[in-house]
Amino acid sequence: MPGCENTLGVRRLLTFATGLVECLCFAGVVFGWASLVFVLKTEGFFSSLCVNTTEVNATHVLDCSGQDEQFSLVFTVASFMNNFLTLPNGFLFDRFGTTVARLFGIFLYTMGTLMMAFSSSVLSNLLFPALSLLAVGGVLFLMTNMQVGNLFGSRRSTIITLYNGAFDSSSALFLIIKLLHESGISLRDSFLFLSACSAIHLLRTFFLMPRKFIPYPLPDHYTYGITCCKSKTPSAIVAANGDTQETAEDRPTDTDGPAKQEKSFRECVLSRFFMWHLLWLSVMQLRHYLFIGTLNPMLHRLTAGEPSLVSQYINAFAFTQLCGVLCAPWNGLIMDRLKGKPRAEGESEGEADLRASVLSLFLTALQCLLFSICAATPYLQLQYFTFILQVVNRSFLYGGNAAFISVAFPSCHFGKLYGLVMALSAVFSLLQYPFFALVKGPLDGDPLYVNIALTLLSLFAFIHPLSVYLHCRSVASERAKSRAVAAS
């Protein structure tokens, strides 16, 4: 029916738009930690760790390195939980579907905002569970929204990377809270408002999201959510023996071919692609986490402790985070554009997807190298450019991570593989805390040597695109030989 077709089209656009707003305003707020730390310091959180010390010239100064270290630990724990718990969340999503995963995520997120609202300088340790709950709940928002790309067929990679870019840009929410705090609005009021917004997430869950999954490729007349239109696809197909078979919505997303469908979860995890992809993500993620976690003390060092100048650079960093939603689609557009090129004779859709991912993986590694070099250079004005490179690279990193997993492995394992790679990379990212302690201790606050080590470590990220490129070339060569044999 034309009326129902129009309704479905509007519903899909609303699902896309509201999902973008959800990721942009809520999902990745924890990565705006540098802005929130500035506010928390003014509120006196962990202020008991600041001690009076006497320098060589007999002047008395307030040493707050213990406070900085505790704030760094809060972010380390939250960023670890954000990634590590993506594994059980992925199993939860693959097993029970969208509605259950989103309700669990909304519960965690609301608890986190309420804990932040009622934290204080006396209850500083409440920041540990509060920020962790915000992180875990936020990543569930992202995970359940990425399947919306399946509604848009040829633009699938673009939508996935766009949502990941919105996830990155949501870190600017803490900048808004910082600016509101400077205008006289308390932290409690800001976080109570975020708690009230959970009602919007609930409405999206029931009206604009599927109960189970959005399949790919999308069946004709596919419907989801609460609707008054009847789909031409029956809700259940009763077999001759009386068993009820699942509809497209009740199944995990379809695969592109039988070869991918036959691959077990274990085979995916033990594959060369997964191992190199894990290394690719881990080394670059560690670089970003250490940069965000140490940004405040780094700027404090470069500005000689001038509060107004530190605030200016923190605001500049937070504003650049807003651009993540604009940068991330470039990655998806690159992949979709390369995938859209005419295929070689006999080339499958899966091979075309892999071939299209090579440039994306390489550009992401190159961006990280340039970002790391700039971050390692102790020149204050250069940090504006560092902020730009950081947001572009971070957008490419997480969007490319999700897009590569969706094209390189069977999509019925997407939630589990996405969760596993994030969980394992989280274990690797725990190195940020000993690195931070090394800078604060033996290196006397100078991060130069740690930055150089991380820059060299980021070179390992180039192995992954090279591996995928060699694989694609090998497959193309075998295909050409098979055609030659067949012709002869």
Side-chain angles (χ1 to χ4, degrees), residues 165-361:
F167 178 84
D168 294 337
S169 293
S170 65
S171 60
L173 181 69
F174 280 169
L175 168 65
I176 296 172
I177 290 176
K178 174 179 178 290
L179 296 176
L180 290 175
H181 185 266
E182 291 170 352
S183 302
I185 297 177
S186 67
L187 276 177
R188 176 168 296 184
D189 290 342
S190 295
F191 280 101
L192 284 176
F193 175 77
L194 290 179
S195 300
C197 288
S198 293
I200 300 173
H201 305 317
L202 286 172
L203 290 174
R204 279 200 78 242
T205 300
F206 293 112
F207 288 94
L208 293 175
M209 295 296 286
R211 184 174 66 88
K212 289 291 186 177
F213 307 98
I214 299 176
Y216 181 79
L218 203 66
D220 293 335
H221 313 296
Y222 171 74
T223 61
Y224 59 94
I226 298 175
T227 177
C228 60
C229 290
K230 290 186 178 180
S231 170
K232 293 181 183 179
T233 303
S235 60
I237 301 172
V238 181
N241 60 5
D243 294 331
T244 300
Q245 298 174 355
E246 290 182 315
T247 65
E249 184 186 330
D250 293 332
R251 290 193 305 268
T253 49
D254 295 331
T255 58
D256 292 334
K260 291 178 78 173
Q261 206 167 18
E262 290 171 358
K263 214 169 189 179
S264 69
F265 175 66
R266 176 186 172 84
E267 289 172 330
C268 292
V269 172
L270 297 178
S271 69
R272 183 183 58 188
F273 278 171
F274 185 85
M275 297 299 180
W276 289 131
H277 186 69
L278 174 62
L279 178 66
W280 177 85
L281 176 66
S282 297
V283 297
M284 288 190 281
Q285 181 173 260
L286 175 62
R287 187 68 192 95
H288 283 276
Y289 279 4
L290 193 68
F291 179 76
I292 295 171
T294 60
L295 180 60
N296 228 283
M298 181 194 79
L299 291 176
H300 192 274
R301 179 182 179 85
L302 294 178
T303 59
E306 176 58 42
S308 61
L309 204 52
V310 172
S311 179
Q312 174 186 325
Y313 275 84
I314 289 293
N315 289 348
F317 172 72
F319 275 120
T320 58
Q321 301 305 297
L322 283 169
C323 298
V325 70
L326 302 176
C327 302
W330 301 348
N331 198 6
L333 287 169
I334 289 171
M335 295 180 70
D336 286 335
R337 182 69 182 270
L338 290 174
K339 180 185 173 182
K341 287 186 176 182
R343 296 186 207 167
E345 186 181 345
E347 185 180 32
S348 68
E349 186 175 354
E351 291 168 13
D353 283 333
L354 277 178
R355 173 174 49 80
S357 70
V358 173
L359 181 59
S360 166
L361 297 171

Side-chain angles (χ1 to χ4, degrees), residues 8-55:
L8 291 176
V10 171
R11 183 186 295 272
R12 290 178 187 182
L13 289 176
L14 279 174
T15 299
F16 164 70
T18 55
L20 189 63
V21 171
E22 187 172 77
C23 289
L24 183 61
C25 298
F26 302 97
V29 294
V30 294
F31 297 104
W33 179 241
S35 297
L36 190 63
V37 164
F38 194 87
V39 177
L40 295 175
K41 282 188 173 183
T42 63
E43 291 285 317
F45 282 72
F46 298 121
S47 57
S48 60
L49 298 176
C50 293
V51 295
N52 288 309
T53 59
T54 304
E55 293 189 336

